Amino acid sequence: MKSVLIIGAGIGSLSAACYLAKAGCKVTILEKNSWPGGRIQTLKKDGFTFDMGPSWYWMPDVFEQFFATFGHTPHDYYTLTRLDPSYRIFFTDEYIDLPPGQEAMCVLFEKYEQGAGQKLKNLLQKTEKVYQIAQKQFIHRSSAPLEMVSGKTLINGVELLAQYNGFQSVHQFLTRFFRNEKLIKMLEFPIFFLGGSAHDIPAVYSIMNHVDIDQGTWYPHGGFGAVARGFERLACELGVDIHYGEEVDHIEADDKNITSVHSQNRRYHPSVVLSGADYPFTESLLPPSSRSYSPHYWDTRKLAPSALMIFLGISHSIPGLLHHSLFFHNDWVGHHQSLFKHPVWPTHPLYYVSTPTKTDKTLAPSGQEAITILIPLASGLPDSLQSREDLAQWVLHDLEKKINQPIQPHIITRTLYSLNDFATDYHAFKGNAYGLAQTLDQTAIFRPNNRSKKLNNLFYTGQFTVPGIGVPMVVISGEIAARDIISHI
C-alpha cells in the first residue's frame, strides 16, 4: 500500500485525502492547527459563533458531485438552506434585495432598464452553456499543458473564445448587455470571489452569474465549519489518519524525490507528499535546489485580496441587515485601486456584512446578533493595530449611518483579524486571504503547476494551483491532485 503524506488539513487536502483513501492509499494528514478546513476557521467567543473564513456557499453541484463519489450527499453531513433574498446590496441612494432564481431577477432588472430582463435571460443562457463546457472540459483538468491540448479541449476552447470575443474582460462583456451602472455592479460582484477586478478577470468567468443567480446562495447550518467537519468525517470514515497540532518544519530531498518530511514530533518517509499549504510556504520548506519557482516569481504574482475582519457580538437584533449585505455606496473606483493598482489601506472602502443569525439562531445567545464585517485589503500591506482600529472605526460609523441603527453601544464582544493573523494561522503568503488571483495570465496552465517541476513525488492542491480560488474550486483541486498521484503511483 502506497503511503501519501498530506501537509495541511484544508478543504483541498481533505478532498484529495478522500479520493486517495478510496483508491487504497494509506493517507496521513499533518495539520499545524487544531481544526479541519484550513481557512475555514470558526471563532467561538462569549457565546457567539463566527465564520472566520468563507461564508458564501455557492456551486452546490460541486459538493454534490464530491459526496456522490463516495455514495453520499451533502445532507448526510450538514443541512443546507437556500437564502431568500439571496443578499442585499446598498447603493448610494437605496438598497436592493436580490431574489433567488432567474425569473425574479429578470423582473428586477427590467425595473432598472427597459429590455434588461430579456437581456439577463440571454446572458444566463450563454453563461450556463459555458459553465457546462467548463465543468466537463476545463475545470477538472490539471495544470499540465498536455492535458489542455486534446482535440476536444481545443475545440471547446475555441468555442469559449468565440462566445466571449476573445480576451475581453468581464466588465467589457457585461457592458455589451447593460447600461445601468447598478445592474452592472450587481453582475460584477461575484467576480470578487476570483480575487480580482472585473476589469482584469477574463470574460469567461461571467459564468459566476449563472452560479449566483441560477444555482443560488445557500447556507450550511452551523456555519462553514459544518462543511469542513463533514469533509473531515468522511475522510476519517475512509481511513484517513489526521494529526492535529503537528506542524511540518522542513522537508529533505535528493535530486529527484522527497526522502523525508519532518515535524516537531517525528520524521516521515512517505511514497508521495501532497501539500495543501500555500505554495510559496511549502517551497520554503524544501532545499533551495528543489524549489520549482524563484522568490522573484512569487513576488511578481498577482494575489487576491486579504481582509480586515471585524467579529461583533451584539446585545440585540439589528434591523436593516440580511444574512448577506454588501455596501457599494462608497468609492468603488478608489477602493479597487487600493486593492489592485496602488496598494494602500483604504479610507472609504466597500465592505461586506455577514449576519448569519438572521438564518441560524444557534450562533448567538437568545435575542442577540453575531455580525462579521469584511473589508477587502491588498495582500502584502504592513499591518498595525492602529491601521486596523482606524479602518474599523470608520466602517462601523459608516454602517451605523447607512442602516440608521446604533451598533457600537451594544457590542458585547469584538475581535479584529487581518493580514498578520492570516500569515500566522495559515502561513499565508503576504497575508493573503484567498490565494492567487484568477486573472488571464494566472488561469489554467498559467497557474503554478500542481506537480513539482523538480521532485517526482511532490504534488500540490489548493488556491494557488488549478483550477483556482474559492471553496468549490479547491475541492476540485483536491480531486485533480489525487488523480495525478494515483496515476503516478
Side-chain angles (χ1 to χ4, degrees):
M1 181 184 293
K2 294 291 186 177
S3 62
V4 180
L5 181 74
I6 301 180
I7 301 172
I11 208 73
S13 296
L14 293 169
S15 169
C18 291
Y19 286 104
L20 290 165
K22 184 174 185 287
C25 296
K26 183 182 187 305
V27 183
T28 301
I29 298 177
L30 304 183
E31 168 56 55
K32 73 182 284 284
N33 294 310
S34 60
W35 62 86
R39 282 167 167 82
I40 305 178
Q41 185 182 170
T42 299
L43 172 64
K44 291 183 179 291
K45 186 178 179 184
D46 299 324
F48 296 88
T49 300
F50 305 93
D51 278 327
M52 301 184 73
S55 59
W56 293 72
Y57 192 101
W58 276 1
M59 298 179 71
D61 58 324
V62 170
F63 298 92
E64 289 162 5
Q65 290 163 14
F66 169 79
F67 283 106
T69 302
F70 308 97
H72 293 286
T73 70
H75 183 71
D76 293 332
Y77 295 91
Y78 50 87
T79 301
L80 291 169
T81 296
R82 186 169 184 174
L83 299 183
D84 182 4
S86 299
Y87 49 93
R88 173 174 289 176
I89 299 180
F90 286 82
F91 293 100
T92 304
D93 56 343
E94 65 172 338
Y95 67 76
I96 301 173
D97 290 345
L98 279 68
Q102 183 179 136
E103 290 302 321
M105 282 292 289
C106 288
V107 171
L108 174 65
F109 268 51
E110 193 66 30
K111 292 179 181 177
Y112 286 86
E113 182 179 314
Q114 186 175 1
Q118 184 59 50
K119 289 177 182 177
L120 178 62
K121 188 170 291 188
N122 296 341
L123 170 71
L124 293 175
Q125 287 174 349
K126 181 188 291 281
T127 57
E128 180 180 12
K129 178 182 178 182
V130 173
Y131 180 83
Q132 297 302 329
I133 293 172
Q135 280 280 26
K136 291 176 182 176
Q137 294 297 324
F138 295 98
I139 292 176
H140 292 263
R141 291 184 178 272
S142 78
S143 51
L146 288 177
E147 276 227 22
M148 302 301 292
V149 295
S150 70
K152 190 171 184 180
T153 301
L154 286 175
I155 291 170
N156 281 310
V158 170
E159 182 177 353
L160 289 183
L161 289 176
Q163 291 276 351
Y164 290 101
N165 288 358
F167 299 103
Q168 65 182 333
S169 70
V170 167
H171 179 78
Q172 291 169 326
F173 176 69
L174 292 176
T175 53
R176 288 170 47 196
F177 288 84
F178 308 100
R179 297 184 305 276
N180 184 280
E181 191 165 326
K182 290 178 181 176
L183 300 185
I184 293 170
K185 285 182 178 179
M186 285 184 207
L187 295 172
E188 288 182 348
F189 152 67
I191 300 307
F192 176 78
F193 290 98
L194 303 176
S197 163
H199 292 269
D200 301 319
I201 299 294
V204 67
Y205 286 110
S206 61
I207 60 175
M208 293 298 291
N209 296 131
H210 163 67
V211 168
D212 175 11
I213 296 169
D214 291 330
Q215 294 190 2
T217 301
W218 298 76
Y219 171 70
H221 281 263
F224 241 92
V227 179
R229 291 189 295 274
F231 275 68
E232 176 197 42
R233 183 178 140 202
L234 174 59
C236 291
E237 290 169 354
L238 292 165
V240 176
D241 190 14
I242 306 176
H243 298 195
Y244 291 107
E246 186 167 352
E247 182 172 4
V248 172
D249 52 31
H250 73 282
I251 300 171
E252 293 182 348
D254 59 24
D255 290 342
K256 295 182 178 180
N257 289 287
I258 288 175
T259 56
S260 62
V261 176
H262 297 251
S263 73
Q264 308 99 316
N265 300 340
R266 59 175 291 189
R267 177 187 297 184
Y268 296 83
H269 300 279
S271 305
V272 174
V273 174
L274 171 64
S275 180
D278 273 21
Y279 212 122
F281 169 74
T282 306
E283 293 222 304
S284 75
L285 302 175
L286 295 167
S289 61
S290 299
R291 299 170 187 173
S292 297
Y293 301 98
S294 68
H296 175 73
Y297 172 87
W298 292 119
D299 283 338
T300 55
R301 296 308 91 191
K302 298 166 187 170
L303 291 174
S306 186
L308 171 64
M309 303 185 74
I310 309 169
F311 303 103
L312 303 173
I314 307 296
S315 62
H316 65 274
S317 179
I318 302 294
L321 297 172
L322 293 187
H323 188 125
H324 297 301
S325 302
L326 302 159
F327 290 79
F328 290 173
H329 60 293
N330 294 316
D331 183 6
W332 179 278
V333 173
H335 192 192
H336 278 75
Q337 290 282 326
S338 77
L339 290 173
F340 304 115
K341 301 297 183 185
H342 308 290
V344 293
W345 280 74
T347 54
H348 295 77
L350 316 178
Y351 53 92
Y352 156 60
V353 179
S354 173
T355 316
T357 37
K358 298 296 184 186
T359 305
D360 186 351
K361 302 300 183 185
T362 69
L363 303 180
S366 180
Q368 299 181 8
E369 204 90 273
I371 295 178
T372 298
I373 304 172
L374 185 151
I375 307 107
L377 302 174
S379 296
L381 290 175
D383 184 6
S384 70
L385 294 178
Q386 191 62 55
S387 296
R388 295 182 184 200
E389 286 293 342
D390 290 346
L391 186 55
Q393 284 299 315
W394 187 91
V395 168
L396 285 169
H397 284 300
D398 190 71
L399 176 60
E400 288 175 323
K401 287 188 293 184
K402 195 61 184 177
I403 66 173
N404 195 29
Q405 293 289 328
I407 292 176
Q408 296 185 79
H410 306 292
I411 295 174
I412 296 172
T413 186
R414 177 180 182 270
T415 301
L416 302 184
Y417 189 97
S418 197
L419 294 106
N420 289 348
D421 302 303
F422 282 103
T424 298
D425 283 353
Y426 316 119
H427 293 304
F429 183 59
K430 296 186 178 181
N432 80 85
Y434 301 99
L436 206 60
Q438 207 81 27
T439 52
L440 181 61
D441 57 349
Q442 294 183 163
T443 291
I445 61 172
F446 302 114
R447 293 183 79 76
N449 205 296
N450 65 309
R451 183 169 183 174
S452 169
K453 297 179 179 181
K454 299 288 185 71
L455 301 171
N456 295 329
N457 63 344
L458 175 59
F459 297 78
Y460 293 88
T461 185
Q463 56 191 9
F464 272 76
T465 186
V466 290
I469 66 175
V471 176
M473 293 297 99
V474 173
V475 171
I476 294 171
S477 177
E479 174 196 348
I480 292 169
R483 187 175 68 237
D484 286 354
I485 290 170
I486 292 164
S487 297
H488 167 73
I489 59 179

